[in-house]
């Protein structure tokens, strides 16, 4: 007699965003088929007695194999980046197909598919980055991409090659409102950064640590407030990405108090790093932690923890931006220790995101287990149109699961699976690590070994974000 389940995970303590229940999980054809006590024998049996099971993580903000200006190159492609994701409990990633100014958005999407197809080991969708909102992009390309399953895009208020001015942002937000798409905004004031950078360079203050001096909190606060005001003008929800501390949080709370739908993302670097990690002297090692916005200080870390526990934040993502430290294509462009303004921005974190938050958030007593699931899986799935196929454990959902091992782990780069030559969290002691990651019913990580899923990671066309109102005419 054939078993009715391909796999049964037995005696699980299963947590979703709303409930924690003790049950067996029956899996058939890659999907959750049944939850209950004493389920019939499966072809494969996995005993989770005494262990917590959560939905596989959705990393709603990471950068993989994103084309860069030479000589800089990302260390992770879809192979290494998604392998690391799987080993860290993430089963869906959403990196960015970035438009190059002067080129079409569709060209960026086509190129990005070529980079991912047949190489990814977890499921993936694409956000878009809109850097050149021409009439063609606004009237034709973007609406058609949104209707084809690319339903979220990022807009930058800084970086010369990506930034939009306020009028361009309004144009794109009006389109987001019309189409019901999710607009994500990188909020930092470009002119203030350029002005401060010039002053610092003139004073010879070019070591990595001065990166944080060039991007103080007010630069982020002002842009966050401006992004909120632009969204208010159009009457459209937005999602502010990588929020780093108090003053940006205050703007979001203020907007929410006025009844606005402002969603917010933060990342582990704003919980576990401070500006001191960019250096207390002029050592170049601080380049490892150069990211934007920069990490702040301990009191700002607490503000971010508070926002995670009290509902201010919608999602927690890695913002994995993988550059080697000791590499002419990485943090030392052309092989040189360069002034901070030329250090590629971003830090690795795709594999450490889930364990850091589970260990220090859930087991550290700062977050409930259900809130952990909401931040790392369910809300990203809803924000980006993947729910309920992804981001939860419900009948019919993909069987994307993590079984957690509660054990002491000392984090070292040598245990990670990314292609980056460092982790900013080297030496940190964690209380847990994923003991098993399952993608659509296949075990891709068993706590020691990575096994690629047969058929590979699948591309996901996103539906309309379910946190947003439906399409509305302006
Ligand atoms: O420094 C960062 N965050 N680099 C990645 C690109 C971005 O703006 O998210
Ligand atoms: Zn950004
Ligand atoms: Zn990013």
């Amino acid at each position: 007699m054939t078993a009715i389940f391909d796999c049964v995970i037995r005696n699980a303590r299963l947590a979703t965003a709303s409930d924690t229940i003790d049950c067996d999980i029956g899996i058939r054809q890659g999907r959750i088929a049944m939850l209950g006590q004493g389920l019939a024998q499966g072809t494969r049996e996995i005993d989770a007695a005494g262990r917590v099971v959560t939905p596989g993580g959705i990393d709603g903000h990471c950068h993989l194999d994103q084309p860069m200006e030479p000589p800089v190159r990302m260390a992770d492609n879809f192979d290494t980046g998604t392998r690391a994701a799987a080993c860290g409990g993430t089963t869906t990633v959403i990196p960015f197909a970035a438009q190059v100014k002067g080129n079409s958005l569709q060209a960026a999407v086509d190129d990005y598919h070529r980079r991912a197809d047949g190489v990814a080991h977890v499921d993936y969708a694409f956000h878009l980055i809109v850097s050149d909102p021409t009439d063609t992009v606004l009237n034709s390309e973007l609406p058609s991409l949104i209707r084809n399953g690319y339903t979220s895009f990022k807009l930058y208020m800084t970086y010369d090659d990506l930034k939009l001015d306020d009028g361009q942002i309004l144009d794109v937000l009006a389109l987001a409102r019309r189409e019901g798409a999710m607009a994500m905004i990188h909020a930092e004031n470009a002119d203030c950064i350029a002005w401060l950078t010039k002053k610092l360079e003139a004073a010879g203050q070019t070591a990595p640590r001065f990166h944080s001096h060039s991007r103080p909190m007010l630069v982020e606060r002002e842009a966050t407030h401006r992004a909120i005001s632009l969204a208010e003008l159009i009457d459209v929800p937005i999602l502010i990405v990588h929020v780093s501390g108090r003053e940006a949080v205050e703007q979001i709370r203020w907007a929410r108090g006025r009844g606005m739908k402002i969603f917010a993302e933060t990342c582990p670097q704003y919980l576990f790093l401070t500006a001191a990690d960019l250096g207390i002297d002029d050592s170049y090692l601080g380049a490892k932690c150069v990211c934007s916005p920069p990490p702040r200080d301990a009191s700002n870390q607490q503000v971010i923890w508070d926002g995670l526990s009290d509902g201010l934040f919608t999602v927690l993502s890695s913002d994995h931006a993988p550059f080697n430290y000791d590499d002419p294509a990485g943090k030392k462009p052309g092989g040189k220790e360069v002034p901070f303004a030329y250090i590629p921005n971003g830090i690795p974190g795709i594999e450490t995101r889930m364990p850091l938050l589970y260990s220090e958030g859930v087991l550290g007593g700062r977050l409930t287990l259900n809130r952990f699931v909401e931040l790392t899986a369910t809300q990203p799935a809803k924000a980006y149109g993947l729910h309920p196929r992804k981001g939860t454990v419900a009948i019919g959902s993909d069987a994307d699961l993590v079984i957690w091992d509660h054990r002491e782990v000392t984090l070292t780069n040598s245990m990670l699976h990314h292609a980056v030559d460092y982790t900013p969290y080297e030496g940190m002691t964690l209380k847990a690590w994923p003991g098993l990651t399952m993608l659509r019913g296949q075990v891709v990580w068993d706590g020691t070994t990575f096994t690629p899923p047969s058929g590979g990671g699948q591309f996901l066309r996103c539906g309309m974000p379910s946190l947003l109102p439906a399409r509305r005419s302006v």
Side-chain angles (χ1 to χ4, degrees):
M1 201 178 83
T2 46
I4 59 168
F5 301 116
D6 302 324
C7 178
V8 174
I9 299 179
R10 236 167 252 291
N11 307 309
R13 169 143 293 193
L14 172 65
T16 65
S18 57
D19 303 294
T20 306
I21 55 170
D22 293 326
C23 67
D24 301 337
I25 305 168
I27 295 159
R28 194 165 47 231
Q29 293 179 348
R31 296 187 176 204
I32 306 294
M34 197 177 284
L35 303 175
Q37 312 271 350
L39 294 192
Q41 181 86 12
T43 305
R44 178 171 188 178
E45 291 271 319
I46 295 173
D47 186 13
R51 293 194 288 170
V52 168
V53 179
T54 60
I58 297 182
D59 194 342
H61 181 163
C62 55
H63 304 267
L64 299 175
D65 203 7
Q66 194 174 311
M68 298 276 117
E69 196 70 47
V72 175
R73 197 170 1 93
M74 287 196 166
D76 277 317
N77 56 22
F78 277 84
D79 171 21
T80 58
T82 58
R83 178 187 311 246
C87 299
T90 289
T91 48
T92 300
V93 294
I94 318 183
F96 297 84
Q99 181 192 21
V100 175
K101 277 192 207 284
N103 291 1
S104 83
L105 202 43
Q106 186 65 52
V109 170
D110 295 343
D111 171 64
Y112 215 42
H113 273 295
R114 280 191 292 274
R115 291 166 188 261
D117 286 357
V119 187
H121 305 298
V122 299
D123 290 350
Y124 60 97
F126 294 164
H127 300 297
L128 308 171
I129 289 174
V130 181
S131 67
D132 198 0
T134 59
D135 285 350
T136 313
V137 166
L138 290 172
N139 298 328
S140 153
E141 275 202 308
L142 194 44
S144 118
L145 282 164
I146 291 168
R147 288 165 199 194
N148 264 312
Y150 309 84
T151 56
S152 50
F153 45 77
K154 184 173 176 188
L155 310 178
Y156 282 81
M157 299 171 87
T158 187
Y159 296 134
D160 287 344
D161 54 339
L162 296 172
K163 72 177 183 210
L164 305 188
D165 65 31
D166 291 355
Q168 291 174 311
I169 293 174
L170 287 169
D171 282 341
V172 186
L173 291 184
L175 182 141
R177 178 190 153 104
R178 270 198 309 276
E179 298 292 331
M182 178 66 88
M184 310 157 75
I185 302 195
H186 178 134
E188 287 186 296
N189 180 313
D191 286 348
C192 287
I193 295 166
W195 190 87
L196 287 165
T197 301
K198 221 161 90 182
K199 292 268 172 222
L200 288 160
E201 284 176 343
Q205 297 179 317
T206 60
R209 70 190 174 101
F210 292 107
H211 172 76
S212 67
H213 298 225
S214 74
R215 303 172 109 101
M217 181 69 94
L218 81 83
V219 161
E220 184 183 351
R221 181 235 296 165
E222 184 281 329
T224 302
H225 187 87
R226 183 154 40 98
I228 288 167
S229 302
L230 299 177
E232 185 175 7
L233 194 58
I234 302 294
D235 184 23
V236 68
I238 53 170
L239 188 148
I240 312 276
V241 294
H242 43 49
V243 171
S244 75
R246 180 185 304 282
E247 295 183 28
V249 164
E250 284 170 354
Q251 305 312 305
I252 296 161
R253 288 199 197 280
W254 172 83
R256 294 247 184 103
R258 289 162 63 90
M260 291 182 68
K261 270 204 166 177
I262 303 295
F263 303 110
E265 173 205 77
T266 194
C267 315
Q269 44 272 40
Y270 306 115
L271 297 168
F272 300 106
L273 301 178
T274 67
D277 290 298
L278 276 74
I280 43 175
D281 57 21
D282 287 354
S283 160
Y284 198 73
L285 284 169
K288 290 181 176 179
C289 294
V290 165
C291 63
S292 298
R296 307 296 180 184
D297 62 15
S299 71
N300 280 290
Q301 290 179 339
Q302 187 55 50
V303 169
I304 300 295
W305 278 117
D306 293 344
L308 286 173
S309 69
D310 72 14
L312 183 277
F313 286 108
T314 317
V315 296
L316 180 122
S317 314
S318 70
D319 194 8
H320 180 76
F323 300 104
N324 279 327
Y325 172 68
D326 208 357
D327 188 341
K331 296 282 186 178
K332 295 178 183 171
K336 291 203 255 323
E337 297 190 353
V338 295
F340 70 81
Y342 301 92
I343 298 172
N345 280 206
I347 63 171
I350 204 164
E351 192 168 354
T352 46
R353 173 186 77 116
M354 295 279 284
L356 280 169
L357 199 70
Y358 187 88
S359 168
E360 303 312 293
V362 179
L363 300 184
R366 293 166 164 122
L367 296 177
T368 66
L369 184 53
N370 309 102
R371 181 73 177 134
F372 166 83
V373 171
E374 186 170 60
L375 285 161
T376 57
T378 313
Q379 297 269 59
K382 290 182 177 176
Y384 304 125
L386 295 171
H387 189 266
R389 176 175 171 189
K390 300 289 187 186
T392 191
V393 179
I395 306 304
S397 298
D398 281 358
D400 296 346
L401 299 164
V402 182
I403 303 181
W404 290 92
D405 281 352
H406 292 191
R407 64 182 168 91
E408 200 172 280
V409 174
T410 302
L411 234 172
T412 62
N413 197 51
S414 59
M415 64 187 265
L416 299 178
H417 298 78
H418 60 192
V420 187
D421 61 1
Y422 74 98
T423 169
Y425 309 110
E426 186 75 32
M428 224 177 130
T429 304
L430 301 189
K431 302 180 227 354
W433 200 261
L436 182 146
T437 308
M438 179 176 275
L439 173 71
R440 286 181 275 102
Q442 301 185 60
V443 175
V444 287
W445 167 248
D446 66 4
T448 48
T449 307
F450 168 74
T451 306
S454 73
Q458 291 180 357
F459 174 67
L460 304 166
R461 284 185 198 283
C462 296
M464 297 326 289
S466 49
L467 295 177
L468 294 183
R471 299 176 59 201
R472 294 174 297 165
S473 55
V474 176

